[in-house]
Amino acid sequence: MASTDPAHEPEEETAVETARRQLERAAAHLDVTESTLERLRRATSVYRTTVPLERDDGSTEVYTAYRAHHDDVRGPYKGGMRYHPGVTEQECIGLAMWMTWKCALMDIPFGGGKGGVVVDPKDLSTDEKERLTRRLAQELRPVIGPMKDIPAPDMGTDPQTMAWFMDAYSMQEGETTPGIVTGKPPVIGGSYGREEAPGRSVGIVTRKALEYDDRDVTETTVAVQGFGSVGANAARYLEDLGADVVAVSDVDGAIYDPAGLDTNDVEDHDERPGMVSGYDAPESLTNEELLTLDVDVLIPAAVGNVLTGENAHEIQADLIVEGANGPATSTADRIFEDREIPVIPDILANAGGVTVSYFEWLQDISRRTWTLSRVNEELENEMLNAWAAMQTEYENRDVTWRDAAYIVALRRVGEAHDMRGLWP
Ligand code: GLU
């Protein structure tokens, strides 16, 4: 609800507002020209289209879809397509900006894109999802391509969605084109390890952040909000290292075991919806209670804007690692900065997803499959390189981890713009 008190943060800061504030903070530390900055504050383009769907009952529903292109100075646009009732043009632009920084921080040769369909996938049958996805692939043809813009899974979409998308695009193209999307099942050109990658990278950077603070992962308690693909894989990775994952949640609520849950026994939200809050654990909590638990590490891995001016003062974790895109509003971020709670930003923490997407794209265009151990080894290397670049800025400039990550990313994007120049 909007407030009349100007000091009171609106409940819903849009992704693009958050992203622009973060850009300005990083820009204050760098010599990026004003003309480049002005370009980076905006999306290059936003494509809006309608996607008609014949429902199973024979009626027709028409949905709105967007594909935002933020910046492609370093390579083709890259980013997910989400199916969610809350998708808006502004959200797609903000999420596309985050993809630009994520790819630059990881030093992979992609730019930032993102899109979505305004639809609740829970309302659709599997057949309806397939028809919607095939028609979407057709509607997006003018703006996508394996060397132009490569979609991937995001909220509400998964490897099966990417398989339908790739098939529809390939049928129209007249040739199998696996590099049109990433996040496909391995049997049709997907990469081993892609599904687990965003959660795995959250685990890797949590390990690094604990090491940086001289903390022993085996003496660490972790709470994970959102036990979908990202949250479950992060939790399992950290449990394997010896951490106690004491709480996890889905949309319906959280489960809590102070002695540590068996995260392999809890089926994740995608494996079996509703099973997390239905799991037989010593205690159940609300999602809000999970966020304010007295744990060492909090991993918000559900949706955006869950850490706000309203609850940031109540957070008791010593370290926050962002599994979701944009889980903290700018106000929450300032409160964490004042309270000296380190926040490892989304653009690093969940970047394993787009990094293994890049590996997948390389495998698709070179027609050569990598083993899972090669994928995981190269992912680990890329994460450690990005961590090192961020750490250098963190130490040299005495900024937050987020600012440090943005400084690395913006410097790379800014230099690329300077080098290519403005055409014509
Ligand atoms: N949707 C994921 C993200 O937000 C993955 C994007 C991709 O793999 O292109 O990073």
Side-chain angles (χ1 to χ4, degrees), residues 58 89 127-128 142 149 184 192 289 293 311 316 321 343 349 369-370 422:
E89 181 174 337
D127 286 348
E128 288 171 335
D149 176 10
K184 302 176 295 296
Y192 294 115
E289 285 167 339
L293 272 179
N311 63 8
Q316 297 193 66
V321 182
V343 180
T369 306
W370 297 10
L422 184 58

Side-chain angles (χ1 to χ4, degrees), residues 48-310:
R48 179 177 177 278
T49 184
T50 49
V51 188
L53 167 74
E54 187 182 331
R55 303 293 306 255
D56 291 340
D57 65 6
S59 64
T60 302
E61 194 98 45
V62 181
Y63 299 101
T64 301
Y66 302 98
R67 186 73 187 167
H69 288 167
H70 174 245
D71 184 85
D72 69 343
V73 73
R74 292 170 42 91
Y77 299 105
K78 185 83 190 82
M81 276 305 287
R82 55 175 59 177
Y83 291 176
H84 193 273
V87 166
T88 63
E89 181 174 337
Q90 293 300 303
E91 181 192 61
C92 292
I93 296 172
L95 289 162
M97 286 174 85
W98 284 329
M99 288 308 302
T100 302
W101 315 133
K102 203 182 281 192
C103 294
L105 175 63
M106 295 309 300
D107 210 5
I108 56 182
F110 286 139
K114 186 78 96 179
V117 182
V118 190
V119 62
D120 190 344
K122 290 199 273 312
D123 291 346
L124 302 181
S125 69
T126 304
D127 286 348
E128 288 171 335
K129 267 188 260 184
E130 177 172 353
R131 288 198 292 278
L132 179 79
T133 303
R134 288 182 180 281
R135 182 62 186 251
L136 175 70
Q138 178 57 22
E139 296 298 337
L140 292 183
R141 280 180 75 76
V143 294
I144 58 170
M147 298 295 157
K148 191 166 157 186
D149 176 10
I150 306 122
D154 203 272
M155 280 165 62
T157 54
D158 59 15
Q160 174 65 76
T161 323
M162 296 303 114
W164 291 325
F165 196 108
M166 183 279 248
D167 185 68
Y169 185 90
S170 298
M171 288 295 118
Q172 289 293 74
E173 197 66 9
E175 57 187 46
T176 293
T177 314
I180 182 60
V181 281
T182 58
K184 302 176 295 296
V187 71
I188 51 161
S191 180
Y192 294 115
R194 169 63 183 80
E195 176 79 16
E196 300 79 19
R200 195 174 177 87
S201 64
V202 169
I204 293 170
V205 299
T206 304
R207 190 190 84 211
K208 284 300 291 176
L210 291 169
E211 265 169 40
Y212 190 80
D213 278 344
D214 276 331
R215 296 180 70 147
D216 186 346
V217 66
T218 63
E219 283 163 25
T220 304
T221 55
V222 182
V224 181
Q225 191 208 26
F227 205 64
S229 171
V230 181
N233 283 299
R236 290 170 187 161
Y237 179 93
L238 290 168
E239 195 192 340
D240 282 349
L241 294 183
D244 280 333
V245 179
V246 295
V248 302
S249 71
D250 64 15
V251 278
D252 301 319
I255 50 173
Y256 178 52
D257 185 345
L261 294 155
D262 177 353
T263 56
N264 282 301
D265 198 48
V266 187
E267 285 168 289
D268 78 35
H269 189 69
D270 303 326
E271 286 157 358
R272 232 168 127 195
M275 279 318 286
V276 178
S277 42
Y279 187 80
D280 185 20
E283 278 180 59
S284 357
L285 306 171
T286 62
N287 261 289
E288 195 55 33
E289 285 167 339
L290 176 144
L291 291 175
T292 53
L293 272 179
D294 186 5
V295 286
D296 298 311
V297 184
L298 173 64
I299 301 179
V303 290
N305 281 353
V306 295
L307 301 173
T308 66
E310 306 285 323

